[in-house]
Amino acid sequence: MNTYFDNLETMTRTERASYQNSKIAEMARLGFERSPRIKKIFAERGLTPSDIQSLQDLHKLPVINREQLVELEMSDPPFGGLCDPDASIERIFTSPGPVYEPHLGSDDPLWARAYKAAGFGKGDIALNAFSYHMVAAGLTFHGGLNKVGSTVVPSGASTTQQQVQLIKDLKVTGYTGTPSFLMAIIEKACELGYDFAKDFRVKKASFAAEPLQPSLRQRFENEFGIDTYQMYGATEVGDVAYECTEKKGWHICEETIVEIVDPSTGGQVNPGELGEVVVTRLNSIFFLFRFGTGDLSSLIEEACPCGRTSYRLS
């Protein structure tokens, strides 16, 4: 499994472009065949699947933001006509709106790249403090940890005192959740008389869902000996990018196409320029092309010393 991830992550830029363009073309063909909404979008713009063959062609399609996705799903529940009606869907998640999201299946290496880059693997006991109720977070992060060989403690929204007990009794070595909640757990452990750095085995943490402030990262790493990493994604499209050991930008996952666009026009900006992060997740079930996250970033094209060859988000 790890070899599989490495092979994709170290492709040459030419190989990656060829690989991703073929996936884009296939998704366009399948979406046109299986999604009523995509067929309608194509017809409105005078497009056929042959017009969408590469990343450069995606600008021909509209950017769909979260508010528009909610409207589509309300008018045509549950998935706005974007999902293959005959697809075998393992589970359906929800997020406020509501937005309904079909789980893309256990074959998708969702979040596994991020956890591998953060050093999670066989022998780790990972505390997963993301919610397991209705939303995608708990189960999808759980799956990513499983894919890299870690044992997962599904602690979810348990109290900080319960989390401390689990970390102590189960000899937890890694944490995934929000940075603020990890700090709350550490503070509770101190209240209970523990020295977190000496009495516990947590040595790595991978965060999502809120920013990791530099001052907090410094405390985790210098005071408590916890190596910290950040993951970036959205419930509508899954994992998008992640930090490696260099911690100088976020590597874009091989299963996602990221465009940086002018928010006012939807057109792709030049490399290095700031713009909105627009994501297309390559898959054969849910044909959500060009999801507008509302987040701003730019692309880093320089090679990373870690050996991964993907572009990074700044």
Side-chain angles (χ1 to χ4, degrees), residues 262-281:
D262 182 331
S264 62
T265 67
Q268 298 165 4
V269 303
N270 295 321
E273 291 184 0
L274 189 69
E276 182 182 6
V277 178
V278 170
V279 180
T280 300
R281 186 168 192 89

Side-chain angles (χ1 to χ4, degrees), residues 80-106:
L82 291 167
C83 190
D84 178 355
D86 298 321
S88 177
I89 299 172
E90 180 183 348
R91 59 176 69 96
I92 298 170
F93 296 114
T94 69
S95 58
V99 173
Y100 298 114
E101 300 128 15
H103 182 58
L104 300 181
S106 56

Side-chain angles (χ1 to χ4, degrees), residues 7-314:
N7 286 345
L8 288 180
E9 290 168 353
T10 57
M11 289 186 290
T12 66
R13 294 283 170 85
T14 300
E15 290 171 337
R16 177 172 287 102
S18 176
Y19 168 79
Q20 293 188 333
N21 287 343
S22 69
K23 294 290 186 180
I24 290 170
E26 178 70 358
M27 186 172 165
R29 182 184 67 80
L30 292 175
F32 185 81
E33 292 176 358
R34 302 177 183 179
S35 160
R37 180 67 58 180
I38 293 300
K39 182 169 284 191
K40 183 174 185 291
I41 290 172
F42 275 45
E44 290 172 345
R45 293 177 173 248
L47 300 173
T48 67
S50 63
D51 293 312
I52 308 297
Q53 297 290 304
S54 70
L55 185 152
Q56 286 71 32
D57 293 329
L58 289 177
H59 72 91
K60 301 171 186 176
L61 298 172
V63 174
I64 298 176
N65 62 31
R66 197 169 201 282
E67 291 73 20
Q68 291 168 326
L69 181 58
V70 170
E71 291 175 3
L72 289 176
E73 293 196 345
M74 288 180 66
S75 66
D76 186 8
F79 305 120
L82 291 167
C83 190
D84 178 355
D86 298 321
S88 177
I89 299 172
E90 180 183 348
R91 59 176 69 96
I92 298 170
F93 296 114
T94 69
S95 58
V99 173
Y100 298 114
E101 300 128 15
H103 182 58
L104 300 181
S106 56
D107 291 337
D108 191 307
L110 194 64
W111 301 109
R113 298 190 189 285
Y115 286 120
K116 181 172 178 287
F120 285 82
K122 187 175 181 181
D124 276 312
I125 299 174
L127 189 83
N128 183 3
F130 284 108
S131 174
Y132 279 74
H133 178 66
M134 296 299 289
V135 297
L139 284 168
T140 55
F141 289 122
H142 187 124
L145 287 163
N146 278 164
K147 284 183 174 69
V148 298
S150 297
T151 298
V152 184
V153 180
S155 62
S158 301
T159 67
T160 53
Q161 185 160 338
Q162 290 173 314
Q163 306 278 6
V164 171
Q165 188 74 34
L166 290 169
I167 290 171
K168 174 180 175 291
D169 292 348
L170 301 178
K171 299 177 173 58
V172 166
T173 62
Y175 166 92
T176 193
T178 63
S180 61
F181 193 52
L182 177 56
M183 183 53 69
I185 293 170
I186 292 172
E187 290 171 350
K188 175 57 70 174
C190 293
E191 287 177 19
L192 296 172
Y194 295 108
D195 182 322
F196 198 88
K198 293 181 180 178
D199 296 334
F200 299 102
R201 299 186 182 186
V202 178
K203 296 302 178 187
K204 63 194 73 170
S206 193
F207 303 121
E210 69 181 35
L212 172 60
Q213 300 299 330
S215 59
L216 193 54
R217 167 172 267 176
Q218 188 174 30
R219 288 198 66 193
F220 285 139
E221 299 195 346
N222 295 342
E223 290 185 36
F224 306 110
I226 302 171
D227 194 16
T228 61
Y229 295 83
Q230 299 180 86
M231 308 183 290
Y232 169 63
T235 56
E236 296 83 359
V237 291
D239 54 349
V240 175
Y242 58 90
E243 286 187 311
C244 68
T245 53
E246 296 293 321
K247 303 178 185 178
K248 296 177 181 177
W250 310 55
H251 287 277
I252 296 171
C253 295
E254 309 303 333
E255 292 70 37
T256 61
I257 302 297
V258 170
E259 302 169 80
I260 305 297
V261 310
D262 182 331
S264 62
T265 67
Q268 298 165 4
V269 303
N270 295 321
E273 291 184 0
L274 189 69
E276 182 182 6
V277 178
V278 170
V279 180
T280 300
R281 186 168 192 89
L282 301 169
N283 75 97
S284 60
I285 294 174
F286 189 48
F287 304 102
L288 178 57
F289 287 93
R290 306 196 82 202
F291 175 72
T293 65
D295 298 326
L296 298 177
S297 189
S298 60
L299 285 180
I300 301 171
E301 294 190 337
E302 291 80 10
C304 182
C306 80
R308 292 175 178 84
T309 55
S310 60
Y311 288 164
R312 287 166 285 157
L313 292 175
S314 63

